[in-house]
Amino acid sequence: MSTFLILDLVGMIALMMLGVPVVIAILASGLVYFLGHPDMSTLVMMQNVQTTVRSFPLLAIPFFVMAGTVMAYGGIAARIMEFASVMVGHWRGGLAQVGVLNSFVMGGMSGSAVADAAVDSRILVPQMRRFGYSLGFSAAVQASSAVLAPILPPSTSMILYGLLGQVSVASLFLGGIMPAILIALALMVTVSIIARIRKYGSVLDAPATARQRLRAFKEAFWALMMPVLLIFGLRTGLFTITELAVIAALYTTAISAFVYRSIGWKDFWDIAKDTTRTTSSVLIIIAASGAFSYIFAIEQVPGHVISLLSSVSNNPLVVLFFVSIGLIVLGMIVEGAAIMILAAPLLVSIATHFGIDPVHMGVMVVMLLTYSTLTPPVGIVLFTVCSITGCKLGEFLKEIWPFFLALLLVLLLVALFPQIVLFLPTWLK
């Protein structure tokens, strides 16, 4: 790996830290590399930029994004929140528990940590404040539980990792389910401990009756069937990921328009705008990264990184430790999507060389980069929640650390016991 490339990468990271849009930083650094090598044509760069997005499986991204957008407009989130409330609202710290359970269910639909955090921050945080929860604690609960969304299917991050690293997206989707369950449980335990210490009460005086739970389930039934539909499609192999994304978009649109009657023709223009805006921000970064994929190949970057790691240790756990540290540090200063798009092929090469299952590596990478959205100075979930709730950064950081420790504990378990990830993909294969 040449010194020129290292300096170019450092320059790209510096531009991102200075606030330059990710796509501009990547394209500018790629252009500098090609201009610095007179024997290489910039036409090659542009060809790679274009061919990267000429991929049929990438169509899954806009359709899954549309499904999540329709749910936000269609009132599905409110029905799921009501269902979560009757299930765990009587627990100590009830509204906080509702937030975690709601994120677990909604995460299996939206696939976006930012979308989940934004919805819960607008709806739940004001209610938690009325019930006596501190602003920092309320914001920390919604932010930490939002990390469930990219780990559960349908996850844009897992689609990117799978397509760029040539790993089964279906296996990645299934592999994220057990870690997500562990994260939800860990967050609920953390909420319970803090609620007991601070004497936070419950939102319901007594457990909901069987009739109330059945009514809430009926109200949310069609919304709750969305994750079932996804898992059924993955398990049976009847649909490709792209076809499943189309079905998910059609399904959410149908139940919102015809079953719940919560969206009309006038809402489709706003849904289309939001879907286009979100999809474009992802695909344009993928396109820009195409140039660097070519550069990494000709510079033999994977080989150099593998040699460096091999000089330290050949133990897969040690390798995972160093990869985790590297991703956490990078995630604190660079947007996670950019890291995923640039590093996915490299990480798959590392996993293959050291005998780490690529699916196990992929789920860990998604977890790490999602966790980094909670950390300054770039954490997008952190700033989304703080801007919506008005919570100060210092107060948020003071309250988030117990939840972050719980998240790291689950990450450690996933690293030590790969079967947590691999059980479902192997069993349902």
Side-chain angles (χ1 to χ4, degrees):
M1 188 161 58
S2 67
T3 304
F4 185 78
L5 176 59
I6 294 174
L7 292 174
D8 198 31
L9 291 172
V10 171
M12 179 179 69
I13 293 173
L15 287 174
M16 292 180 186
M17 292 177 66
L18 290 172
V20 175
V22 172
V23 64
I24 301 299
I26 295 175
L27 283 174
S29 301
L31 184 60
V32 167
Y33 181 88
F34 277 89
L35 291 175
H37 292 76
D39 55 328
M40 298 177 64
S41 172
T42 53
L43 289 176
V44 175
M45 173 183 168
M46 296 314 300
Q47 287 172 350
N48 280 277
V49 167
Q50 294 176 43
T51 55
T52 301
V53 289
R54 292 179 186 173
S55 170
F56 180 74
L58 280 179
L59 284 173
I61 294 176
F63 285 108
F64 276 133
V65 170
M66 179 181 175
T69 306
V70 170
M71 284 187 294
Y73 278 85
I76 294 176
R79 287 174 170 82
I80 293 173
M81 197 169 293
E82 178 62 26
F83 173 73
S85 181
V86 299
M87 295 302 293
V88 298
H90 61 284
W91 293 4
R92 185 173 288 277
L95 266 178
Q97 303 286 13
V98 169
V100 176
L101 183 58
N102 180 69
S103 292
F104 180 77
V105 180
M106 278 295 293
M109 303 180 192
S110 69
S112 168
V114 175
D116 184 79
V119 171
D120 285 356
S121 295
R122 288 190 178 96
I123 298 175
L124 273 176
V125 170
Q127 294 185 43
M128 291 178 71
R129 294 289 288 135
R130 286 195 291 271
F131 274 81
Y133 295 85
S134 71
L135 178 57
F137 177 79
S138 304
V141 169
Q142 307 314 324
S144 57
S145 59
V147 305
L148 287 161
I151 299 168
L152 285 162
S155 165
T156 301
S157 297
M158 288 185 179
I159 293 173
L160 293 178
Y161 179 89
L163 296 180
L164 298 173
Q166 298 183 340
V167 179
S168 168
V169 176
S171 295
L172 289 167
F173 276 7
L174 293 172
I177 293 174
M178 291 302 293
I181 291 174
L182 290 178
I183 288 174
L185 291 174
L187 292 178
M188 284 182 159
V189 170
T190 305
V191 166
S192 181
I193 293 171
I194 295 175
R196 288 184 180 278
I197 293 173
R198 300 184 183 179
K199 302 187 184 306
Y200 289 142
S202 58
V203 68
L204 299 177
D205 295 331
T209 64
R211 179 175 294 182
Q212 289 173 321
R213 292 184 177 184
L214 180 61
R215 184 170 61 248
F217 176 75
K218 287 180 178 178
E219 284 289 319
F221 175 78
W222 294 106
L224 294 172
M225 287 300 102
M226 171 73 169
V228 176
L229 174 67
L230 289 174
I231 294 174
F232 174 78
L234 295 172
R235 171 66 182 88
T236 59
L238 289 175
F239 315 111
T240 65
I241 290 297
T242 305
E243 291 166 345
L244 199 58
V246 174
I247 291 171
L250 291 174
Y251 180 83
T252 53
T253 302
I255 64 172
S256 295
F258 303 116
V259 178
Y260 295 141
R261 300 182 182 277
S262 50
I263 60 172
W265 288 110
K266 63 180 181 179
D267 297 308
F268 281 100
W269 176 245
D270 292 329
I271 290 170
K273 285 194 298 184
D274 286 356
T275 300
T276 303
R277 188 181 298 113
T278 303
T279 302
S280 300
S281 66
V282 175
L283 292 182
I284 196 171
I285 298 175
I286 295 175
S289 71
F292 265 96
S293 297
Y294 178 80
I295 293 170
F296 283 0
I298 62 175
E299 288 272 357
Q300 299 180 334
V301 172
H304 290 298
V305 174
I306 288 170
S307 297
L308 178 62
L309 289 171
S310 297
S311 66
V312 177
S313 175
N314 283 312
N315 188 316
L317 281 176
V318 175
V319 171
L320 279 176
F321 173 78
F322 280 106
V323 169
S324 299
I325 294 297
L327 288 176
I328 286 176
V329 173
L330 272 177
M332 292 178 69
I333 57 177
V334 180
E335 189 177 339
I339 299 172
M340 175 69 73
I341 292 166
L342 290 171
L346 170 61
L347 293 167
V348 171
S349 297
I350 292 172
T352 303
H353 179 83
F354 289 100
I356 303 168
D357 191 288
V359 174
H360 182 215
M361 172 70 89
V363 172
M364 282 200 62
V365 169
V366 171
M367 291 174 69
L368 283 160
L369 294 181
T370 306
Y371 289 3
S372 70
T373 62
L374 301 176
T375 60
V378 178
I380 186 169
V381 169
L382 181 160
F383 290 111
T384 297
V385 171
C386 287
S387 64
I388 291 174
T389 62
C391 181
K392 294 182 179 180
L393 181 60
E395 186 180 359
F396 178 88
L397 294 177
K398 180 182 177 181
E399 296 282 3
I400 193 67
W401 71 264
F403 298 98
F404 202 78
L405 286 179
L407 294 174
L408 290 178
L409 176 61
V410 175
L411 180 70
L412 178 62
L413 290 174
V414 170
L416 292 175
F417 304 102
Q419 282 306 311
I420 293 175
V421 170
L422 303 177
F423 169 70
L424 283 180
T426 303
W427 183 47
L428 297 177
K429 185 177 292 183

